[in-house]
Amino acid sequence: MADAAPKFVAYERVSTARQGKSGLGLEAQRKAIDDFAASKGAKMVARFTEVESGRKADRPELQQALHLAKITGSTLLIAKLDRLSRNAAFLLTLRDSGVRFIAVDMPEANDLTVGIMALVAQQEREAISKRTKEALAAAKARGVKLGNPNGAAALRRAGKGAAALRETVSANADDFAEALRPIIEELRQDGYTTLRAVAQELNARGVLARRGGRWHVSSVRGLLERLFETSV
C-alpha cells in the first residue's frame, strides 16, 4: 500500500498592510511553498497569511496555523526561516508548539536548530539596541543636536534672513541625517526595505525624528533622499 500523501499547512508573513494588499513579498513565499508541496505530492490543508511586524510576539494567524496543523496531523510549511531568524518570539513559538515544520530554505532545521537561533536572535536584538544607543550618543558627543536644533522658528525669532534660515536648516538636516546613517544602513542590510518598515523599526528603537516626534513614511523618505541623494 502506497504511503499517504503528506499534508501541509502553509504560513506566510509580510510586515506591512501595503505589502499584504499588493502581494509584494507574498508571491515569492507562495511560489516557494507551492513548488515544494508539489515536489512532495502533498495536500495543502490550509494557508495562513500574517500581515504585521516581525517584532510582534502576538501572531494570531501563526497560532491558528499551528493549531490546525496539530489537530490534522499536518506539517507547518514556511518559505524562509532565515528571514524570520531574528525574531525570538516566532522561533520559540515554533519550537514549543509540538508541531512538525519544514522551512523550504532550510529543510534540515529542527527543534534544536530553532532553539539555538532563538538565543542568537535575542542576543542580536540586544546588540542592535546597544549599537543604536551608542550611535546616537556618539552623534551627540560630536555636537549633533537630535531633535530640531536651530529650527526655522528659532531663526525667525532671531531675525535671520531667508537665505541664512534655509542654509542653517539644511545644514542641521544634513548633520542629523549623517548621525543616523549607520542605523539606516544596518536596517537596509537587515531587510527593512520599505519606508513604512523603516519607520516602524526606528520608532520601535526609540529613535526620535528630527522634530522630536515619531517617524512616518514621509519623514523616512526625506531622510533617505538626503542620505543617498536620490528619490525614494
Side-chain angles (χ1 to χ4, degrees), residues 124-142:
E124 179 62 15
R125 292 307 312 173
E126 293 172 358
I128 286 172
S129 177
K130 181 180 179 181
R131 289 198 298 271
T132 300
K133 292 176 182 177
E134 289 175 346
L136 295 177
K140 187 175 181 180
R142 293 196 304 269

Side-chain angles (χ1 to χ4, degrees), residues 34-56:
D34 289 348
D35 286 352
F36 185 88
S39 73
K40 301 297 183 182
K43 174 185 177 182
M44 191 66 72
V45 176
R47 187 186 304 273
F48 294 85
T49 303
E50 201 92 69
V51 182
E52 63 178 325
S53 168
R55 292 174 57 89
K56 291 185 178 179

Side-chain angles (χ1 to χ4, degrees), residues 1 13 22 26 33 37 39 51 54 56 62 82 99 104 127 152 159 162 188 193 205 219:
M1 180 178 176
R13 187 190 69 81
S22 69
L26 275 180
I33 286 172
S39 73
V51 182
K56 291 185 178 179
L62 175 59
D82 68 345
V99 171
V104 175
R188 291 173 70 146
T193 57
R205 294 192 186 192
S219 51

